[in-house]
């Protein structure tokens, strides 16, 4: 008898990131596609991990995470967002931001529940909802500013709406939430039992002195939220896969039930290292200007090309239109410029379930100056 299983994600294929990175390698292209830095991470942080290993921090940490790390995170939340959270009951260290998101969804969702997701969306959201038997309710951000249409959100709320997923700063567009978005969000969830999932993995990468409107600033919203973070994304070590989730004690208790039978506890030496590293506030306060400099440099270079650069207020991504260059589909253009010019990017249609094509591609500017220069030198030929 032929062995078969029923796929839980029948429509999932290889992600566009894997496809474009493979194409980039095949054609020896400059890779501005996948979101990872090509420069070295902080030397001091590396040294601290090494030291932690040599000091013997190589066994399991508590299931919730290394206590001094949770304490320093609670201090950081208080100093950045003026909200007091209990490191004992409200923070859990996780193996990355994606895992924190998946765990939060799995904690809450029952089959048939509806989850509002804004598109373009980070690629794990829809499969993470579907694998729990829940239903993604998709709403397009308004092109080209990628703002939330709150009237449409109100129209799409039903008695089955269980969660709303937010992402600010936003991948792939670099959009950020405004005060008005928070007002609207509050009015949408008021007197409901809707839970908010706030993906804030780019928390510190926000530009032009705009404050990050973390859900952590609003205790009434935090009561009903899971707020997810990634050390890998902000400390230029995506391969570490380490992050954390903050919630109310009530929700976090349930989150931990799911977490303890999946990952149980995360990499110990990096938690120990971060607990020391984060005591220095500059370790996170300096990140925005560091990345803004890269955005501004890339924008200046791209001024020599015929791309129409869209606004990036945060994250390490910037999107561009190309109507002066061609009317190809965005995926065709992305593949062609990888093969012909040697520059890999990501077509933004890949972030829509049905492939909505506004003819936009995404660049990652978390790269060395030389990498950005090499890419633009090729792109001027388009
Ligand atoms: C919006 C968003 N959320 C979550 C993640 C994942 O973070 P981690 O690598 O810590 O799982 C990413 C990474 O690209 C992202 O862009």
């Amino acid at each position: 008898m032929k062995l078969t299983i029923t796929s839980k994600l029948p429509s999932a294929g290889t992600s566009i990131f894997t496809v474009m990175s493979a194409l980039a390698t095949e054609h020896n292209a400059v890779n501005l596609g996948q979101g990872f830095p090509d420069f070295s991470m902080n030397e001091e942080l590396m040294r601290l991990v090494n030291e932690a290993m040599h000091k013997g921090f190589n066994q399991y940490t508590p299931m919730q995470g290394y206590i001094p790390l949770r304490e320093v995170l609670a201090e950081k939340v208080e100093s950045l967002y003026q909200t007091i959270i209990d490191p004992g009951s409200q923070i859990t260290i996780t193996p990355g931001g994606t895992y924190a998101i998946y765990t939060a969804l799995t904690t809450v969702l029952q089959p048939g529940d509806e989850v509002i997701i804004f598109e373009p969306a980070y690629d794990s959201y829809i499969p993470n909802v579907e694998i729990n038997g829940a239903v993604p309710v998709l709403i397009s951000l308004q092109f080209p500013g990628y703002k939330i249409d709150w009237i449409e959100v109100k129209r799409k709320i039903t008695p089955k709406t269980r969660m709303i997923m937010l992402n600010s700063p936003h991948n792939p567009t670099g959009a950020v939430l405004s005060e008005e978005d928070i007002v609207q969000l509050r009015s949408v969830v008021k007197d409901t039992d809707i839970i908010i999932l706030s993906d804030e993995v780019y928390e510190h990468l926000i530009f032009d002195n705009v404050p990050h409107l973390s859900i952590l600033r609003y205790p009434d919203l935090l009561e009903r939220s899971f707020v997810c973070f990634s050390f890998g994304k902000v400390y230029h070590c995506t391969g570490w896969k380490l992050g954390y989730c903050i919630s109310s004690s009530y929700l976090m208790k349930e989150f931990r039930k799911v977490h303890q039978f999946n990952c149980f506890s995360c990499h110990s030496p990096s938690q120990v290292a971060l607990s020391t590293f984060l005591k220095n506030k500059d370790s996170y306060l300096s990140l925005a200007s560091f990345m803004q400099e890269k955005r501004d440099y890339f924008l200046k270079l791209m001024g020599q090309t015929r791309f129409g650069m869209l606004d990036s207020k945060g994250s390490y991504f910037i999107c561009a239109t190309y109507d002066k260059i061609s009317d190809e589909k965005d995926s065709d253009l992305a593949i062609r410029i990888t093969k012909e010019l040697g520059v890999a990017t990501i077509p933004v249609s890949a972030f829509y379930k049905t492939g909505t094509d506004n003819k936009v591609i995404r660049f990652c500017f978390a790269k060395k100056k030389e990498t950005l220069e090499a890419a633009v030198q090729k792109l001027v030929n388009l």
Side-chain angles (χ1 to χ4, degrees):
M1 198 181 98
K2 191 167 171 279
L3 185 69
T4 55
I5 60 167
T6 304
S7 174
K8 290 207 167 161
L9 293 173
S11 60
T14 311
S15 88
I16 188 72
F17 308 101
T18 310
V19 172
M20 292 308 294
S21 280
L23 207 59
T25 311
E26 189 187 330
H27 294 274
N28 204 14
V30 184
N31 192 352
L32 303 191
Q34 213 171 355
F36 61 86
D38 73 343
F39 44 84
S40 182
M41 61 172 291
N42 184 287
E43 286 287 335
E44 173 63 3
L45 186 49
M46 283 198 273
R47 193 194 63 72
L48 287 166
V49 179
N50 200 281
E51 184 182 277
M53 285 182 177
H54 283 104
K55 281 189 174 164
F57 289 99
N58 298 304
Q59 308 309 329
Y60 294 128
T61 50
M63 178 270 280
Q64 305 87 334
Y66 184 57
I67 295 162
L69 176 57
R70 286 185 278 140
E71 284 168 353
V72 79
L73 287 171
E75 282 161 27
K76 185 179 109 168
V77 169
E78 187 178 350
S79 97
L80 288 180
Y81 306 125
Q82 295 76 53
T83 297
I84 296 183
I85 54 164
D86 172 21
S89 63
Q90 290 186 262
I91 308 179
T92 300
I93 309 297
T94 62
T98 313
Y99 173 101
I101 295 163
Y102 179 79
T103 304
L105 293 169
T106 303
T107 299
V108 173
L109 294 176
Q110 300 290 340
D113 283 349
E114 293 178 359
V115 181
I116 291 188
I117 296 177
F118 299 102
E119 288 191 307
Y122 179 57
D123 66 341
S124 76
Y125 294 174
I126 293 175
N128 282 187
V129 167
E130 288 175 340
I131 210 162
N132 281 294
V135 183
V137 174
L138 305 173
I139 297 180
S140 287
L141 296 171
Q142 292 166 312
F143 180 72
Y146 295 108
K147 290 221 141 281
I148 295 175
D149 179 348
W150 287 103
I151 296 175
E152 193 179 352
V153 175
K154 285 178 187 155
R155 251 193 279 123
K156 293 222 163 137
I157 299 277
T158 76
K160 288 189 179 165
T161 308
R162 196 71 188 89
M163 295 181 90
I164 296 181
M165 298 184 74
L166 297 169
N167 172 212
S168 178
H170 184 252
N171 174 13
T173 68
V176 300
L177 289 180
S178 67
E179 292 279 6
E180 177 57 20
D181 290 316
I182 301 293
V183 170
Q184 293 289 343
L185 176 66
R186 211 177 243 135
S187 89
V188 163
V189 298
K190 192 166 175 280
D191 301 326
T192 73
D193 63 357
I194 295 172
I195 305 282
I196 298 163
L197 185 303
S198 185
D199 176 349
E200 302 185 13
V201 299
Y202 299 104
E203 173 191 24
H204 297 301
L205 309 182
I206 181 159
F207 313 134
D208 307 313
N209 296 318
V210 171
H212 170 51
L213 297 189
S214 173
I215 292 296
L216 300 177
R217 286 180 191 269
Y218 314 101
D220 61 318
L221 293 177
L222 179 57
E223 268 311 297
R224 57 167 78 238
S225 299
F226 291 97
V227 192
C228 302
F229 299 91
S230 166
F231 293 113
K233 282 288 172 187
V234 291
Y235 294 112
H236 321 313
C237 48
T238 55
W240 279 23
K241 293 300 292 188
L242 197 67
Y244 58 103
C245 181
I246 299 182
S247 187
S248 64
S249 305
Y250 169 68
L251 293 178
M252 188 49 80
K253 192 169 164 209
E254 292 301 314
F255 179 101
R256 286 176 177 171
K257 289 184 191 170
V258 179
H259 169 68
Q260 83 174 328
F261 296 121
N262 190 5
C263 158
F264 182 70
S265 82
C266 301
H267 190 253
S268 305
S270 29
Q271 292 188 64
V272 175
L274 282 160
S275 70
T276 305
F277 189 67
L278 286 175
K279 283 190 187 132
N280 175 5
K281 290 189 181 176
D282 201 46
S283 66
Y284 47 89
L285 294 179
S286 62
L287 293 166
S289 63
F290 171 80
M291 206 55 85
Q292 181 175 333
E293 216 178 290
K294 293 205 174 286
R295 179 202 63 173
D296 293 346
Y297 188 60
F298 186 58
L299 263 177
K300 192 172 133 223
L301 293 174
M302 287 298 280
Q304 303 163 46
T305 72
R306 293 194 292 157
F307 284 97
M309 303 308 287
L310 299 177
D311 214 11
S312 169
K313 298 190 172 75
S315 80
Y316 44 48
F317 302 111
I318 190 161
C319 290
T321 55
Y322 52 88
D323 47 301
K324 294 205 179 103
I325 296 171
S326 112
D327 62 2
E328 284 160 285
K329 285 197 323 200
D330 65 358
S331 49
D332 289 345
L333 180 87
I335 290 169
R336 182 164 73 82
I337 63 179
T338 310
K339 288 183 177 169
E340 290 177 10
L341 292 182
V343 180
T345 59
I346 301 285
V348 172
S349 61
F351 296 84
Y352 292 85
K353 189 171 170 84
T354 56
T356 302
D357 184 7
N358 291 312
K359 299 192 192 291
V360 178
I361 58 173
R362 185 195 79 176
F363 296 91
C364 171
F365 54 80
K367 307 288 171 186
K368 291 187 260 201
K369 264 185 152 180
E370 307 88 88
T371 311
L372 299 175
E373 286 161 2
V376 177
Q377 245 172 38
K378 293 166 189 271
L379 293 172
V380 288
N381 297 319
L382 259 185

